[in-house]
Amino acid sequence: KGYDTGEHAPGLKLGRCGAYKAAHHIIKAHAKVWHSYNDTWRSEQQGMVGISLTSDWGEPVDPHSQTDRVAAERYIQFHLGWFANPIYKGDYPEVMKNYVGKKSTQQGLGTSRLPTFSVQEKTYIKGTSDFLGIGHFTTRYVLRKSFPFLQVPTYHTDYDLAELVDPKWPAPGPKWLYSVPWGFRRLLNFIKTQYGNPLIYVTENGVSEKVQCTQLCDEWRIEYLKGYINEILKALNDGVNVKGYTAWSLLDKFEWNKGFSERFGFYHVDFKNKNKPRYPKASADYYKKIISANGFPNPREVMS
């Protein structure tokens, strides 16, 4: 969104290679930081360096359809695998290399728009994460969709997919954020299988609100938290190595190109008042109980 569509800062609409080049530099820079810490500070501090990646889950529209299953796998590889695969396996996912390479050839380009890592870079990047941070908010149904030949191809037309939602899914927040807790367990199990069950910290998970909740009674956020945290508990029972959870977020704050209009906080912030007073929403009290019990205080909330 920063280097392809220009929706986010720095607002560049580079299309073609923009997002791929930016990601390529992010991955190499991340590896350099990890090695710097590993060589200089780890022995003294015994700290950890990881990366935090945000990914939705992609579910096949028809789980019995090979085409839909392959499409859903491609969705995850183009989102999470784009960054995680080089760090855990040493290179971009094969499906990304194949699709972007094939489209680049069709567009008359001599080389793929997806950059390549040298043999030395692959070795240098592989294994540069002591933990995997995961931001997760929602899920999509996925099916194959071929895009016509485009003069200016983009990341979003490269993977030949359409995304659908179930109208029955609750959508308490922005138009993109549907509450689909079961997708989280599937994503966590995918990570376990794909990347050798790495240590996971959930770094972002939460929901915003469409309208300002003047009564601070955000029961939909409580339901969202209950559902998603419960699915993490199920993933733990599946053997996924989840070490910690961070809700998004403590306070209402500045959210990308939505500014202050999208409120994810447990605490309502009055932005019109120069002192910016904060008021706890109902979810703040609920989350306090979860923290104090280190899990669900009421056993009836936990379902297998």
Side-chain angles (χ1 to χ4, degrees):
K1 290 186 177 179
Y3 292 85
D4 186 36
T5 63
E7 292 169 69
H8 287 177
L12 301 178
K13 298 180 182 180
L14 301 178
R16 292 186 181 272
C17 308
Y20 296 130
K21 280 185 178 174
H24 201 68
H25 289 306
I26 287 170
I27 293 162
K28 291 205 287 186
H30 161 78
K32 190 161 189 176
V33 171
W34 186 91
H35 281 286
S36 173
Y37 185 83
N38 196 53
D39 297 343
T40 312
W41 301 106
R42 190 187 298 276
S43 57
E44 180 187 332
Q45 297 179 346
Q46 300 299 307
M48 293 197 301
V49 177
I51 193 165
S52 183
L53 305 175
T54 299
S55 182
D56 298 340
W57 174 247
E59 181 74 8
V61 170
D62 177 3
H64 302 295
S65 158
Q66 172 75 4
T67 308
D68 285 1
R69 288 201 307 273
V70 168
E73 164 91 11
R74 189 160 71 251
Y75 177 88
I76 300 294
Q77 294 294 0
F78 263 83
H79 286 79
L80 181 68
W82 184 7
F83 295 87
N85 223 72
I87 289 167
Y88 284 96
K89 297 185 176 184
D91 200 3
Y92 291 121
E94 285 301 315
V95 70
M96 276 193 85
K97 294 195 288 184
N98 292 341
Y99 265 71
V100 183
K102 182 179 67 180
K103 298 232 170 187
S104 301
T105 302
Q106 289 169 354
Q107 289 142 14
L109 301 174
T111 56
S112 175
R113 289 181 288 107
L114 182 70
T116 55
F117 295 113
S118 68
V119 174
Q120 291 87 348
E121 285 172 338
K122 288 177 186 178
T123 307
Y124 188 73
I125 292 164
K126 186 179 179 181
T128 56
S129 209
D130 303 318
F131 66 88
L132 179 60
I134 285 292
H136 175 75
F137 294 90
T138 192
T139 284
R140 292 289 184 270
Y141 280 119
V142 179
L143 75 167
R144 178 177 167 75
K145 176 188 178 182
S146 293
F147 285 89
F149 179 78
L150 298 164
Q151 291 302 111
V152 183
T154 70
Y155 163 76
H156 290 286
T157 58
D158 276 342
Y159 48 71
D160 281 350
L161 297 174
E163 299 173 33
L164 306 173
V165 297
D166 186 331
K168 295 193 287 291
W169 289 344
K175 60 186 179 182
W176 60 270
L177 210 173
Y178 293 80
S179 180
V180 195
W182 52 260
F184 203 4
R185 181 185 185 182
R186 296 184 187 193
L187 177 66
L188 291 168
N189 272 284
F190 176 88
I191 291 165
K192 173 191 170 189
T193 306
Q194 284 277 313
Y195 309 122
N197 203 13
L199 178 63
I200 295 173
Y201 285 91
V202 177
T203 45
E204 288 186 30
N205 175 240
V207 65
S208 63
E209 50 217 56
K210 275 180 181 151
V211 291
Q212 191 168 317
C213 183
T214 50
Q215 304 302 313
L216 306 177
C217 49
D218 57 345
E219 67 287 339
W220 67 87
R221 184 172 284 110
I222 291 171
E223 286 305 309
Y224 180 98
L225 288 167
K226 191 186 293 185
Y228 276 74
I229 294 172
N230 200 343
E231 292 298 317
I232 299 170
L233 179 59
K234 293 177 193 176
L236 276 166
N237 291 336
D238 297 334
V240 180
N241 192 11
V242 183
K243 184 73 172 177
Y245 173 86
T246 313
W248 191 263
S249 57
L250 180 68
L251 307 170
D252 290 338
K253 56 182 170 19
F254 193 84
E255 285 287 342
W256 299 90
N257 55 335
K258 303 297 184 204
F260 297 109
S261 65
E262 224 166 82
R263 295 172 176 267
F264 276 85
F266 289 144
Y267 284 80
H268 173 84
V269 179
D270 182 357
F271 293 113
K272 294 191 172 97
N273 186 313
K274 67 175 172 51
N275 294 322
K276 308 288 187 290
R278 295 103 187 251
Y279 306 98
K281 303 172 190 176
S283 56
D285 186 55
Y286 178 73
Y287 195 56
K288 275 181 188 172
K289 289 174 182 167
I290 289 179
I291 291 168
S292 58
N294 193 28
F296 292 111
N298 181 351
R300 285 179 301 182
E301 291 181 12
V302 180
M303 293 172 289
S304 61

